[in-house]
Amino acid sequence: MKTPGFWKDINFFSNLFAPLGWIYGTVTALRLLLTKGKKVGIPVICIGNLTAGGVGKTPVAISIAKLLKEEAKKNPFFVTRGYGGTLQDVLVNPQKHSAKETGDEPLLLAQAAPTIVNKDRYLGAFRASENGADCIIMDDGFQNPGLHKDVSFVVIDSIQAFGNKRCIPAGPLREFLKIGLWRTKAVILLGEPSSELSAMLIGKTIFKGKIKPVCPQGGKKNVIAFAGIGHPQKFYNSLADCGFNIVKTRDFADHHYYTPKELENLIAEAEKMEADLYTTSKDFVKIPEEMQPYFKVLEIAVEWENPDALKRFILEQSNPK
């Protein structure tokens, strides 16, 4: 689905769905309260959030994996549910598996570190341990109580924050805000927070970062941009920050799988408008290999304010008790 516009504030639709949101939040709270996570014997680091839609969890998870590999000489494995994929309990092979088999995000994660897809996070973590992992990074899973976490980070986009502060489907929250913030010990804050958001995070350990585009050199100035992510406007803004002239944009639903006809139409439009076609790395992995040469990717990276402090915190907090 595309992120609903009415999630931003209180309006007719958010009021209409408010009772369903209360039920959703209550069920989530009970599930978290009544389920005790199982320990797998190696440190588990969770990269989660309190809202649905893209806030930057996957690039943050990839950046932390690189930090642990390069700076702490660790051998992290990702464990993820593989949203939208058909395979389960599989070690992802980017040369063998497709996005339809594993989901789009696992293919990106697997480029940075070995990745296990399993809806049962404990079984996925156990399999990773058997394959040589000395720590686990969960991409998402803050609301999944099945696997014990040694340290959890909640990623917050300072611009989006918590929208209208209501639970799905009335708003973007995956759990009641008060409970989610109470459970949150460490926050990864992307961007500069508002005074309201800063007040909400008093007492939390906060690590600040920015998601910045890796601006490409060369190519055409005019671009057609498309994306199937939670908040595509952030992608378009990044292209504009790189100096591109965006002549057209096309939004698709989050995790959308592109048909050959859709891609052919985009290629035809780009040729007609003498523009390059740009998309995200998450979308690129869903384009058939034979059609990929027609498309370009805007890569992104997380720039940490204090990466050494983040590394120390993870190492100190992620020792199994």
Side-chain angles (χ1 to χ4, degrees):
M1 61 175 287
K2 294 183 180 180
T3 303
F6 68 82
W7 280 3
K8 295 178 182 178
D9 48 37
I10 303 299
N11 49 55
F12 172 79
F13 289 106
S14 61
N15 286 330
L16 178 67
F17 293 122
L20 293 176
W22 184 87
I23 293 172
Y24 185 99
T26 301
V27 171
T28 300
L30 289 173
R31 179 166 49 82
L32 291 168
L33 178 66
L34 298 176
T35 307
K36 184 177 181 181
K38 292 182 283 188
K39 295 185 178 182
V40 75
I42 57 176
V44 175
I45 304 149
C46 176
I47 313 298
N49 67 345
L50 299 182
T51 60
V55 297
K57 289 193 311 298
T58 298
V60 165
I62 289 172
S63 181
I64 286 177
K66 291 180 177 178
L67 191 70
L68 290 174
K69 287 172 66 176
E70 296 169 6
E71 300 295 328
K73 308 306 178 186
K74 294 290 185 180
N75 184 33
F77 272 50
F78 290 112
V79 171
T80 181
R81 66 171 291 191
Y83 182 87
T86 59
L87 298 179
Q88 280 293 298
D89 193 29
V90 61
L91 178 63
V92 178
N93 183 340
Q95 280 71 50
K96 173 184 174 184
H97 295 128
S98 69
K100 286 188 176 180
E101 291 175 316
T102 66
D104 46 24
E105 288 166 350
L107 284 182
L108 297 181
L109 295 172
Q111 295 173 19
T115 300
I116 301 284
V117 169
N118 200 317
K119 290 180 181 178
D120 186 321
R121 305 305 210 285
Y122 171 76
L123 292 180
F126 185 79
R127 171 115 184 243
S129 178
E130 286 187 320
N131 279 270
D134 58 16
C135 61
I136 301 293
I137 299 176
M138 291 179 70
D139 180 33
D140 208 357
F142 188 64
Q143 288 79 28
N144 185 304
L147 176 63
H148 171 81
K149 295 105 173 172
D150 296 283
V151 58
S152 291
F153 292 99
V154 166
V155 181
I156 300 175
D157 183 306
S158 62
I159 296 176
Q160 297 165 219
F162 309 115
N164 61 15
K165 304 180 181 67
R166 290 186 172 179
C167 286
I168 298 168
L173 288 175
R174 295 179 169 191
E175 60 180 301
F176 292 127
L177 182 57
K178 185 176 290 187
I179 294 176
L181 289 176
W182 175 76
R183 296 197 308 116
T184 302
K185 299 297 186 292
V187 169
I188 289 176
L189 187 59
L190 300 176
E192 290 301 319
S194 64
S195 56
E196 179 188 18
L197 180 56
S198 295
M200 290 181 181
L201 301 180
I202 290 175
K204 308 297 180 185
T205 300
I206 299 175
F207 298 95
K208 293 183 177 180
K210 295 179 182 177
I211 292 183
K212 303 191 73 173
V214 181
C215 296
Q217 303 298 316
K220 298 173 181 175
K221 192 74 171 178
N222 292 339
V223 302
I224 293 175
F226 68 98
I229 57 178
H231 297 277
Q233 190 58 49
K234 292 196 295 184
F235 167 58
Y236 305 146
N237 291 342
S238 293
L239 280 169
D241 290 342
C242 286
F244 288 111
N245 177 38
I246 303 174
V247 295
K248 187 172 184 177
T249 63
R250 179 84 187 275
D251 298 351
F252 293 88
D254 197 10
H255 298 284
H256 179 74
Y257 287 94
Y258 298 98
T259 66
K261 185 63 176 176
E262 288 171 334
L263 297 172
E264 289 166 3
N265 288 341
L266 286 166
I267 293 170
E269 283 185 302
E271 291 176 349
K272 182 179 179 180
M273 303 180 78
E274 296 184 348
D276 280 336
L277 275 168
Y278 267 90
T279 192
T280 71
S281 54
K282 177 180 167 182
D283 292 285
F284 187 76
V285 297
K286 292 177 287 187
I287 296 173
E289 187 175 351
E290 65 272 14
M291 300 183 78
Q292 287 180 351
Y294 293 96
F295 299 87
K296 296 187 176 182
V297 178
L298 181 68
E299 303 287 354
I300 57 174
V302 179
E303 184 179 275
W304 298 106
E305 186 175 280
N306 192 337
D308 288 336
L310 175 61
K311 179 188 70 175
R312 286 196 303 271
F313 179 84
I314 293 172
L315 295 178
E316 290 169 2
Q317 296 294 318
S318 63
N319 292 317
K321 304 297 189 293

